[in-house]
Amino acid sequence: MVVWRKRASPRWLAANESELRKIAGNQLAIIETGSGKTTTVEVADANLRRLERVRGRFGGQIATLPRDWLRNFLRLSAGKPLNIGKRLRIVRNQADLRASGCTLMIPAGAAFGTGEHITSEMSLRLLERISRTLTPGWSLVDLGTGTGILALAAKRFGAKRVSAIDLDPIAISTAKENARLNKTSLVEFRLGDVRTVTAAEKFDVVSANLFSDLLIEILPRVARMLRYGGFAILSGILRSQERDLRRAVRVCHCVCWKSAGGANGSPCSRQKQI
């Protein structure tokens, strides 16, 4: 595995992110520093020639990862359990599992979304809060499900119908395995593009932990998936991108907009009710 890296300013990222995503797609990772003054962008790929084209276009450096990089990553990623209110506990390994149904085991792996990233954690906390207001038998669709953590958490919070969609076959395979590990059934995992996916029925909750450009693009589709009075949990948005997303939400005629996020420059989650 080979990785391309570049340290960039917020201004450089704003000017180049869209074009870089066209080339790298879901393989692009954006790592924000606490100060928000610098950003590291990374693209991991097994194809060195492809990354050389990225370097030729955007500069930066290319490094080869050791063969056991994933094993080392998994070992280092065995963090502390994450408590989501008093109703759910996210753990990384079998030893931390409880006998009760209020625990989920989500091992760190090749798919995004273990609960440790702030966008995943805030989405989980919003989902837990929202689920307490919904009537029994509520439903959720998770767009860009990754490890399936939000879909599986929804079942723990009482959802009856759950659908989870991702473009990456590895993510869908990982999510299905996590459902098996947690003995969670009746979750529909689908391989699909969130830009074109359709749903025959409407949902009470739509969750999407993606990047802002994609969120803006799919907002009309999200609105069509939501049942009247439903909620959308939108995460992966930087404070610098909030204005554009707010504008797009207004176009979708949302009558309620609530936010929960960190300091300027940090990712934030968004909840809307329509």
Side-chain angles (χ1 to χ4, degrees), residues 20 50 60 87 93 97 121 149 163 194 205 240 242 263-264:
L20 188 53
R50 189 177 300 150
R87 300 170 63 199
N93 54 64
L97 272 178
E121 181 181 341
I149 187 171
S163 181
V194 297
V205 182
S240 60
E242 182 177 344
N264 289 340

Side-chain angles (χ1 to χ4, degrees), residues 4-272:
W4 168 83
R5 292 190 181 97
K6 180 179 176 67
R7 188 178 294 274
S9 66
R11 180 177 296 180
W12 184 95
L13 184 61
N16 294 279
E17 180 181 356
S18 179
E19 192 63 28
L20 188 53
R21 284 200 183 275
K22 289 179 182 178
I23 299 172
N26 292 334
Q27 292 169 302
L28 175 65
I30 300 174
I31 305 165
E32 295 284 332
T33 62
S35 65
K37 294 180 180 179
T38 59
T39 301
T40 299
V41 287
E42 294 186 354
V43 179
D45 202 316
N47 190 322
L48 176 59
R49 186 170 298 178
R50 189 177 300 150
L51 291 187
E52 286 175 340
R53 289 200 297 268
V54 174
R55 181 174 60 181
R57 175 73 182 276
F58 300 101
Q61 298 178 333
I62 293 176
T64 301
L65 296 173
R67 288 188 177 184
D68 57 351
W69 70 272
L70 183 56
R71 184 186 306 166
N72 291 336
F73 172 77
L74 295 177
R75 178 175 54 82
L76 294 171
S77 297
K80 295 180 179 179
L82 173 67
N83 294 313
I84 305 300
K86 296 181 179 180
R87 300 170 63 199
L88 185 65
R89 189 169 186 252
I90 311 291
V91 301
R92 303 284 169 262
N93 54 64
Q94 195 82 24
D96 291 326
L97 272 178
R98 290 176 177 170
S100 65
C102 64
T103 302
L104 278 178
M105 184 174 71
I106 308 292
F112 175 80
T114 62
E116 289 184 336
H117 193 276
I118 189 63
T119 57
S120 300
E121 181 181 341
M122 285 194 293
S123 296
L124 286 164
R125 296 193 186 283
L126 279 173
L127 178 60
E128 191 275 334
R129 188 189 310 169
I130 290 168
S131 67
R132 286 187 263 122
T133 70
L134 298 172
T135 57
W138 60 276
S139 58
L140 172 140
V141 59
D142 185 26
L143 305 178
T145 195
T147 62
I149 187 171
L150 281 169
L152 299 178
K155 293 296 290 185
R156 289 290 194 268
F157 294 146
K160 182 177 180 180
R161 183 166 61 97
V162 176
S163 181
I165 300 164
D166 205 292
L167 183 64
D168 185 357
I170 294 177
I172 292 298
S173 177
T174 301
K176 288 181 177 180
E177 175 62 16
N178 286 335
R180 188 193 66 79
L181 285 173
N182 288 281
K183 297 181 172 61
T184 303
S185 58
L186 302 179
V187 178
E188 178 196 27
F189 293 104
R190 280 202 288 158
L191 188 65
D193 189 340
V194 297
R195 295 179 176 89
T196 59
V197 69
T198 58
E201 302 177 61
K202 292 185 180 294
F203 294 84
D204 297 295
V205 182
V206 177
S207 58
N209 186 3
L210 303 165
F211 55 91
S212 62
D213 287 347
L214 182 54
L215 287 173
I216 291 170
E217 183 179 344
I218 69 171
L219 266 177
R221 192 171 298 275
V222 168
R224 288 195 296 271
M225 288 182 174
L226 272 172
R227 182 172 287 124
Y228 182 79
F231 293 88
I233 300 174
L234 310 177
S235 190
I237 312 145
L238 300 180
R239 287 293 188 188
S240 60
Q241 301 162 340
E242 182 177 344
R243 182 179 299 177
D244 290 339
L245 190 69
R246 280 181 175 271
R247 188 180 300 117
V249 169
R250 285 195 294 269
V251 171
C252 286
H253 306 293
C254 298
V255 298
C256 181
W257 174 261
K258 302 177 182 179
S259 67
N264 289 340
S266 65
C268 54
S269 296
R270 293 290 175 243
Q271 167 193 337
K272 70 169 181 156

